[in-house]
Amino acid sequence: MPEKPEFFLPDPEGLTPSAEGYFGAFGGKFIPEALVAAVDEVAAEYEKAKADPAFAAELNELMANYTGRPSALTEVPRFAAEAGGARIFLKREDLNHTGSHKINNVLGQALLTRRMGKTRVIAETGAGQHGVATATACALFGLECTIYMGEVDTKRQALNVARMRILGAEVVSVTSGSRTLKDAINEAFRDWVANVDRTHYLFGTVAGPHPFPALVRDFHRVIGVEARRQLLERTGRLPDAAVACVGGGSNAMGLFHAFLPDAGVRLVGCEPAGHGVETGEHAATLTAGEPGILHGSRSYVLQDDEGQITEPYSISAGLDYPGVGPEHAYLKDTGRAEYRAVTDDAAMQALRLLSRTEGIIPAIESAHALAGALELGRELGPEALLLVNLSGRGDKDMDTAARYFGLYDSEEAGK
Amino acid sequence: MSGTIELLQEALAHAKAENRAALIAYLPAGFPTVDGGIEAVKAAFDGGADIVEVGLPHSDPVLDGPVIQTADDIALKNGVRIADVLRTVREAHAATGKPVLVMTYWNPVDRYGVERFAAELAEAGGAGCILPDLPVEESEGWRKAAEQHGLATVFVVAPSSRDERLARITAAGSGFVYAASLMGVTGTRASVGEQAGELVRRTRATTELPVCVGLGVSNAVQAAEVAAFADGVIVGSAFVKRILDAEGDEAAGLAAVRALAAELAEGVRKRG
């Protein structure tokens, strides 16, 4: 790893949120008074940590020797043959310890937790990847850990529930609302209000109240910084597009951020279209939502005409969320990034295609980015160079995939 | 038509003149039905509440415990709309002449339109609004609209609020200050935290506004305990639970609300 920790690279001018946490019209801090002191403490501690070389050194050491950074950059020509002949490189966040990008943010916040003298960590999780990463860091640092997960998700991601429990975390199955990620976050906030003295809420995406959108982004920006350097070394040029899936948007922000000043690089976020945006059964917040407030910041949200949040749907538990990070809202409105919606079916086909052509089984979340890259490659033609963030691996999704493709013996026998 | 902030101020002054705390009840609109909710507000006044906060149900009530979450879910499943909430305010106020506030989360108001919501709440005879996830830093637009329409802006303070923040919050607020008795979500508690007295003392040092205490109070003994140091006692989940416990028997639910209000009204007159 370079001496200067990569997440401290100065923000491109004008992109740091304002002191109040705004990216243009989006962001801010819409939280109950009981949490203001705690959220301010996180912000203050993060500012101190950024100025402390010991913090950077410890995080760097963890990234190199625990997470296994830098993660590989893999060219996938057999997969790319289906994308109009474009060259496609995958940033292999799936090869990180715990199997996804989530560990980047978790280790940074675990160090912050220790600096704040807190002994307990809570977190929300959708697909379970953030929960597993958080449970892992808590095991490593000796912190008490409670993970909130919607009941629907504890069922479709049962493997990750078992992983969290074996790591020593308590997993609470949330039965309110749509019983998915949104409701897990609600429940985590309720826990935080009641136990804030000794508890840090290790927020898992680039949403939530300031400073979380910027803080989580900073811990993930190593993804784009590494990928940009690796791709230049390998191909001598920047990509035509950087592509990532977007639920809350953390892996996408981590990839995009290093490319923001590179005007020639299209930044393409792939949102879950579920059964199709036109069916209403989707979680394509930037495509079909409107500005509103959810979980502490102003951004795009899926809501009705009176501000009630509508229930999202996606086959992917990690993208099944009616909100999105405020910096994505800002990038959408300024036109710097573009967002397209990818259906369940397209994502599942891409998952199988990558598995069969390259021997890499992606998470269903990441498969949305792969499907987007296939589309984009066909649009751009054979000269195109695409960088795709493979944010997580698909082990956790094998039950969903087996049912989707009818891979279980009993189901095959029934056909 | 202007909102009824004066009525709110008078109700609190009247309780003070009687050397007692005011009783403030919380009931969600649309629960168990819109008409049933209106009757519940009237029953709370009838039993002895001085002020009622009408909840505008939200899909994501992050500050509410299971009791109010359940009520909100029922109201939303029944299709409650903001027009129903405003009708609840209008009819309850018209029938009793008492001050009625709305309590809700910020997104419904933001989405409906700040000016539109303030104007329509005032037109319905509302006295003000409590928006617990709208921090003072983000509140300027709302406060301007509220002031223009004669509505109080009641801010929540918490045991974790530092003194300099308390001063900033109370300087921006009107009507009264809502002091959260403990760190947590709504719901009944076996005991009301010791933090409440200290928070009220610290809050009073910053403002002349009455300071009312909520979260956790469910019976006359607790009401009397809080009334010993606060200007008002706010009770929500205990009322909602009475209606839930009636399991659809509307008359029984209303009788239970009336009885609880009467019990608490006695409590706020005992002052510990």
Side-chain angles (χ1 to χ4, degrees):
Chain A
M1 301 293 289
E3 269 178 34
K4 189 171 171 59
E6 312 215 61
F7 64 93
F8 285 154
L9 291 180
D11 293 315
E13 210 172 312
L15 291 168
T16 305
S18 68
E20 296 77 31
Y22 275 92
F23 305 89
F26 302 103
K29 202 164 61 180
F30 294 84
I31 50 171
E33 177 59 24
L35 289 179
V36 168
V39 169
D40 286 352
E41 184 189 10
V42 174
E45 195 61 48
Y46 182 51
E47 288 308 310
K48 276 193 263 176
K50 279 202 280 191
D52 179 357
F55 179 81
E58 191 169 5
L59 185 54
N60 247 10
E61 199 278 330
L62 284 167
M63 288 201 292
N65 299 320
Y66 192 71
T67 306
R69 301 209 72 94
S71 62
L73 186 75
T74 305
E75 186 167 13
V76 286
R78 279 168 44 76
F79 176 79
E82 302 291 324
R87 290 186 79 182
I88 298 180
F89 286 78
L90 305 183
K91 180 59 175 165
R92 300 294 304 279
E93 293 297 298
D94 62 317
L95 296 178
N96 292 338
H97 179 47
T98 72
S100 81
H101 70 291
K102 293 291 189 187
I103 192 76
N104 302 326
N105 165 50
V106 163
L107 289 174
Q109 287 201 49
L111 289 176
L112 281 182
T113 305
R114 201 178 60 189
R115 286 178 69 104
M116 290 187 290
K118 300 204 168 179
T119 57
R120 178 173 179 264
V121 162
I122 57 171
E124 82 292 347
T125 198
Q129 293 301 86
H130 178 59
V132 166
T134 302
T136 298
C138 288
L140 180 65
F141 286 86
L143 298 164
E144 196 186 322
C145 181
T146 300
I147 304 293
Y148 290 93
M149 189 168 185
E151 189 189 37
V152 170
D153 297 337
T154 59
K155 288 183 178 147
R156 58 180 162 173
Q157 308 280 211
L159 175 68
N160 274 344
V161 175
R163 290 171 79 195
M164 288 183 264
R165 288 186 173 145
I166 208 130
L167 289 160
E170 180 194 6
V171 180
V172 179
S173 176
V174 176
T175 56
S176 57
S178 57
R179 306 180 183 211
T180 58
L181 181 54
K182 159 179 91 83
D183 311 284
I185 295 177
N186 290 343
E187 213 52 42
F189 270 114
R190 291 178 186 122
D191 180 317
W192 204 21
V193 172
N195 301 296
V196 68
D197 278 354
R198 64 188 192 94
T199 302
H200 175 58
Y201 182 3
L202 208 161
F203 202 70
T205 191
V206 290
H210 176 69
F212 286 106
L215 179 159
V216 175
R217 174 201 70 197
D218 290 352
F219 288 134
H220 280 306
R221 73 191 301 282
V222 66
I223 301 169
V225 171
E226 282 180 7
R228 189 176 184 281
R229 188 182 58 222
Q230 290 166 321
L231 199 61
L232 280 172
E233 283 168 8
R234 298 270 285 280
T235 69
R237 58 170 286 209
L238 292 172
D240 296 298
V243 187
C245 64
V246 178
S250 68
N251 90 80
M253 270 323 302
L255 181 72
F256 290 175
H257 207 250
F259 293 98
L260 285 176
D262 301 319
V265 180
R266 282 169 69 180
L267 305 175
V268 182
C270 299
E271 296 196 293
H275 293 139
V277 171
E278 70 289 350
T279 67
E281 294 177 1
H282 63 82
T285 308
L286 289 163
T287 304
E290 291 182 67
I293 289 108
L294 175 65
H295 297 144
S297 52
R298 182 185 297 281
S299 185
Y300 279 74
V301 294
L302 297 176
Q303 59 182 333
D304 71 11
D305 63 330
E306 293 202 337
Q308 308 292 354
I309 307 305
T310 51
E311 292 196 359
Y313 164 77
S314 168
I315 192 171
S316 145
L319 305 180
D320 196 354
Y321 181 59
V324 66
E327 195 168 5
H328 283 294
Y330 173 70
L331 293 177
K332 172 191 158 78
D333 276 17
T334 57
R336 179 62 190 95
E338 58 197 281
Y339 298 87
R340 53 176 71 200
V342 171
T343 62
D344 286 359
D345 287 341
M348 294 307 288
Q349 296 303 330
L351 180 150
R352 188 165 63 177
L353 182 66
L354 186 72
S355 302
R356 293 190 171 181
T357 55
E358 302 286 349
I360 299 170
I361 303 177
I364 299 177
E365 289 77 18
S366 318
H368 285 72
L370 293 166
L374 291 174
E375 278 180 19
L376 208 55
R378 291 174 200 134
E379 289 162 23
L380 295 176
E383 300 306 311
L385 176 63
L386 303 179
L387 171 65
V388 182
N389 197 16
L390 195 71
S391 55
R393 69 185 187 207
D395 309 39
K396 69 188 177 60
D397 295 316
M398 285 307 93
D399 183 56
T400 303
R403 290 172 196 281
Y404 185 86
F405 291 114
L407 304 179
Y408 285 130
D409 285 344
S410 57
E411 286 180 26
E412 282 186 346
K415 279 182 181 171
Chain B
M1 182 171 163
S2 183
T4 59
I5 183 172
E6 291 85 2
L7 209 52
L8 176 66
Q9 291 160 336
E10 281 163 24
L12 289 157
H14 176 71
K16 187 173 184 163
E18 289 189 354
N19 190 32
R20 66 174 176 91
L23 174 62
I24 305 173
Y26 168 92
L27 287 155
F31 170 74
T33 60
V34 176
D35 287 334
I38 293 167
E39 291 310 311
V41 175
K42 289 188 206 165
F45 277 129
D46 192 36
D50 299 290
I51 299 158
V52 172
E53 305 166 6
V54 169
L56 189 168
H58 186 43
S59 53
D60 292 78
V62 294
L63 274 169
D64 286 301
V67 171
I68 291 174
Q69 283 178 48
T70 302
D72 276 13
D73 280 351
I74 291 169
L76 290 169
K77 282 204 180 89
N78 288 341
V80 70
R81 302 277 295 173
I82 288 176
D84 300 315
V85 178
L86 294 170
R87 178 161 77 86
T88 302
V89 171
R90 179 181 294 108
E91 293 190 13
H93 169 66
T96 62
K98 299 272 175 70
V100 180
L101 298 108
V102 164
M103 183 161 188
T104 190
Y105 293 85
W106 180 236
N107 197 48
V109 177
D110 184 73
R111 178 81 166 147
Y112 197 73
V114 170
E115 168 60 28
R116 178 183 173 205
F117 187 80
E120 292 184 15
L121 178 57
E123 191 276 327
C129 213
I130 310 170
L131 299 158
D133 65 342
L134 183 70
V136 65
E137 293 82 359
E138 300 280 358
S139 68
E140 196 183 345
W142 163 258
R143 284 188 282 123
K144 278 186 183 157
E147 196 178 344
Q148 194 194 332
H149 290 285
L151 296 168
T153 298
V154 175
F155 282 104
V156 180
V157 296
S160 59
S161 306
R162 295 189 190 94
D163 288 345
E164 62 275 14
R165 251 194 93 74
L166 283 179
R168 188 172 172 197
I169 293 167
T170 58
S174 53
F176 65 92
V177 182
Y178 187 132
S181 67
L182 46 80
M183 298 294 285
V185 297
T186 59
T188 59
R189 303 290 198 289
S191 65
V192 176
E194 287 170 14
Q195 296 167 310
E198 174 63 13
L199 176 59
V200 170
R201 188 193 64 72
R202 291 197 297 123
T203 307
R204 284 225 176 96
T206 70
T207 184
E208 298 293 313
L209 288 172
V211 182
C212 304
V213 170
L215 292 195
V217 182
S218 61
N219 59 44
V221 174
Q222 289 174 330
E225 199 184 309
V226 171
F229 57 80
D231 299 304
V233 178
I234 307 167
V235 179
S237 294
F239 279 108
V240 174
K241 194 162 184 309
R242 290 295 200 283
I243 299 174
L244 284 172
D245 288 349
E247 292 180 349
D249 182 340
E250 197 167 293
L254 292 176
V257 166
R258 195 175 292 108
L260 177 62
E263 182 196 326
L264 293 166
E266 244 177 72
V268 299
R269 285 166 172 81
K270 280 187 185 146
R271 294 221 135 160

